Amino acid sequence: MTDSFLKIGLINVMEPINILAILAGTMIGMFVGAMPGLSATMAIALLLPLTFQFEPATGLAMLASLYLSAMYGGSIAAILLRTPGTPAAAATVIDGYPMAQAGHAGKALGYSLTASLIGGVISSIVLLTVAPLLGKLVLNFGPIEIFAIAVLGITIIGSLSQGSAVLGLLSGALGLLIAMIGMDPTTGTPRYTFGNLNLFSGVEFTVALIGLFSIPQAIRLMIGGNADQAGRISNVRDRMLPTARQFIEMLPNSIRSAVIGVFTGLIPGTGGDTASWFAYNEAKRFSRNKAAFGTGHAPGIVAPEAANNAVVGGALIPTISLGIPGSSATAVLMGGLMVHGILPGPTLMTEYGDVTYTLLWAVLFANIALFVVGMLFTRACVSVTKIPNRVVGPVIVVLSIIGAYAINNSVFEIWLMLGFGLLGFVLDQCKIPTPPLVIGLILGPVLDTSLEQSLLIGRGDYMIFLQSPISAVLLGIAFLSVLQATPLPGLIAGLFRRMRGSVEAGNDNG
């Protein structure tokens, strides 16, 4: 069955409409990524309403290619402006900007684009081979195991989120609470609707996404203004494509960094920014000329760019096969599935195999499209970096309002989107991470339905979750991930150190 789905996916992705969607998503992602401060997650959230009119496979192919190309687009601003276009491009600044200042902006962008292609292709091959294997494994999962996976997804992402793990878990719990709004899936009882008919069907996921990711960014851009206009590289005159010798020299670094990116992407809650720094550090560690890093050294550009594009395939593996988003951007991609009536979870590889495998192939094709489009349009993207932030901010707000209204033609949802926007801005100001909240919104309905189904199977006995070995192991891992977010592990480690110190002191005295 896997082989047949692979063939179906390949045939689907090669349809003209899907190729056009991949090219369109690639161009949009590059331009969005090149704008300082805008993220791939925000771009996907804004583009979601536009995919309603497409078939699910076409819409998802566009979103996946946008996600991938925005990763490269972020390096354009990093190299030319010393301002990462996306968080994943932060490590690229260290060597990319000095190389551009030395008059080799094209060379720096060429290294970035080629490394992105290598990293992306490697991660796509891993995605096409590993995801189906995991898909076969989860065929044995029922409601009990799916509940355990949902719990694990929320706790791991909360505990691994940047900053305070407790705040990450709090954000995830808030997302779960919001996901409970609407009608109970089993009994049909309204919950937290306060008598408002607009909330009986629950909170529209896309509306929440647009508000949480777009409005806070627009506010920051309008408040911050154009504080970083100095030192901009205004044009690219030199050759972009690396020579054959340069390509061979960068290959080992690219492959190593791609492997780092894939494995980092597999861990829910980590992302391109984490992988980029890991890869940069490893490139420096393996280099014979460590002192050259930070002065415009090519390996310092290649490593983070190969890693952050490889993260895309890695992050999609748990997203596709287990229904656990590997990053905030893949969480929004899962929202794209929900928009088209496809419930994320372990059944994606079987019940919706044609759509899922089309998405897997689209990631590979998007990498090739990125290289072609990047060679043709990177120079055009330079003009995007010149747009003032105080112009970009209001445009984002207008697009957000249009997108929120277009979903159900509802004015109520415009206000709901703006409400989520204010919530997102407050969370940002309080240093509470937003991605765990999004994961809670996505996994909330899965958690809710599987919990009620499991309790019906177990006749109300909660021990049903420990009777399944898979569920027991997953819940145990979830418990440990919550535990490590508390001071308890540190207290226990301190106690053991003191006990060992006391024993060693006693032995010395004896």
Side-chain angles (χ1 to χ4, degrees):
M1 182 177 286
T2 300
D3 291 340
S4 64
F5 276 138
L6 273 170
K7 291 175 185 175
I8 292 168
L10 180 58
I11 292 167
N12 285 347
V13 82
M14 293 184 73
E15 291 180 3
I17 183 67
N18 290 333
I19 295 293
L20 284 172
I22 289 170
L23 288 170
T26 302
M27 291 189 69
I28 294 169
M30 266 184 58
F31 280 95
V32 168
M35 293 184 188
L38 304 192
S39 66
T41 309
M42 192 212 75
I44 296 170
L46 278 176
L47 197 65
L48 262 182
L50 299 180
T51 64
F52 291 167
Q53 57 190 319
F54 299 131
E55 291 292 318
T58 306
L60 287 169
M62 179 182 279
L63 294 175
S65 57
L66 186 152
Y67 174 23
L68 199 88
S69 59
M71 289 292 197
Y72 163 69
S75 72
I76 297 174
I79 290 167
L80 300 180
L81 310 183
R82 203 183 179 185
T83 305
T86 58
T92 309
V93 172
I94 300 173
D95 283 282
Y97 185 68
M99 186 179 283
Q101 277 193 315
H104 303 296
K107 183 180 176 182
L109 291 167
Y111 274 125
S112 170
L113 182 60
T114 309
S116 296
L117 173 68
I118 296 168
V121 168
I122 289 172
S123 77
S124 301
I125 293 169
V126 173
L127 177 63
L128 278 165
T129 52
V130 174
L133 294 176
L134 280 176
K136 288 180 181 177
L137 176 68
V138 299
L139 284 176
N140 300 319
F141 285 17
I144 298 166
E145 290 79 15
I146 291 172
F147 170 80
I149 285 176
V151 172
L152 178 64
I154 290 166
T155 53
I156 283 184
I157 289 168
S159 60
L160 290 179
S161 57
Q162 292 182 347
S164 168
V166 175
L167 292 179
L169 292 169
L170 173 66
S171 178
L174 181 59
L176 279 177
L177 186 65
I178 295 170
M180 295 300 107
I181 295 172
M183 306 281 278
D184 184 288
T186 305
T187 64
T189 307
R191 300 179 300 195
Y192 310 120
T193 59
F194 306 102
N196 190 324
L197 289 175
N198 292 297
L199 293 174
F200 271 50
S201 58
V203 172
E204 177 65 48
F205 179 74
T206 313
V207 171
L209 277 183
I210 293 172
L212 286 169
F213 287 105
S214 303
I215 300 299
Q217 184 58 42
I219 294 171
R220 282 193 294 271
L221 289 173
M222 288 186 284
I223 291 174
N226 304 302
D228 199 16
Q229 295 285 339
R232 295 195 170 197
I233 311 295
S234 58
N235 51 46
V236 178
R237 293 193 179 95
D238 57 318
R239 171 194 172 104
M240 277 186 60
L241 193 65
T243 63
R245 182 180 176 181
Q246 288 170 339
F247 180 80
I248 292 168
E249 287 175 352
M250 68 184 284
L251 206 53
N253 187 9
S254 299
I255 293 171
R256 180 178 61 247
S257 301
V259 171
I260 292 170
V262 170
F263 278 98
T264 305
L266 280 168
I267 304 169
T270 57
D273 46 350
T274 307
S276 296
W277 289 110
F278 281 166
Y280 186 88
N281 285 334
E282 288 305 300
K284 192 172 182 178
R285 192 162 68 87
F286 277 88
S287 176
R288 295 177 181 176
N289 188 11
K290 294 179 175 59
F293 280 80
T295 63
H297 197 36
I301 301 171
V302 170
E305 287 303 307
N308 68 34
N309 267 55
V311 161
V312 175
L316 280 171
I317 291 172
T319 306
I320 296 295
S321 49
L322 301 176
I324 300 175
S327 64
S328 56
T330 51
V332 182
L333 275 178
M334 283 181 71
L337 290 167
M338 296 167 72
V339 161
H340 291 284
I342 301 172
L343 189 65
T347 56
L348 272 179
M349 304 292 289
T350 52
E351 291 182 20
Y352 306 102
D354 55 339
V355 176
T356 305
Y357 281 87
T358 304
L359 172 61
L360 300 187
W361 280 110
V363 174
L364 178 59
F365 276 66
N367 281 288
I368 299 165
L370 170 62
F371 187 76
V372 174
V373 172
M375 291 303 299
L376 294 173
F377 291 101
T378 293
R379 285 178 169 84
C381 287
V382 176
S383 60
V384 175
T385 64
K386 301 173 186 176
I387 300 174
N389 290 344
R390 285 185 176 142
V391 173
V392 176
V395 169
I396 292 172
V397 174
V398 171
L399 289 174
S400 300
I401 291 170
I402 293 171
Y405 181 77
I407 296 167
N408 294 313
N409 295 334
S410 169
V411 175
F412 173 80
E413 290 186 345
I414 294 176
W415 291 109
L416 191 63
M417 181 274 295
L418 293 172
F420 272 103
L422 289 175
L423 173 64
F425 184 71
V426 170
L427 291 177
D428 282 351
Q429 296 301 303
C430 297
K431 307 298 182 187
I432 298 175
T434 308
L437 189 150
V438 176
I439 307 307
L441 280 173
I442 289 175
L443 295 181
V446 178
L447 195 76
D448 189 18
T449 305
S450 58
L451 174 62
E452 297 201 30
Q453 289 174 343
S454 300
L455 290 177
L456 286 172
I457 293 169
R459 297 182 181 179
D461 185 4
Y462 282 89
M463 293 303 293
I464 189 76
F465 296 110
L466 300 180
Q467 291 170 10
S468 163
I470 296 173
S471 172
V473 169
L474 292 174
L475 289 174
I477 296 170
F479 175 73
L480 290 175
S481 69
V482 172
L483 196 65
Q484 64 91 29
T486 67
L488 190 60
L491 293 174
I492 293 173
L495 181 63
F496 273 112
R497 280 196 297 269
R498 284 195 296 272
M499 288 173 61
R500 190 173 64 181
S502 300
V503 171
E504 289 174 353
N507 290 336
D508 291 342
N509 292 333

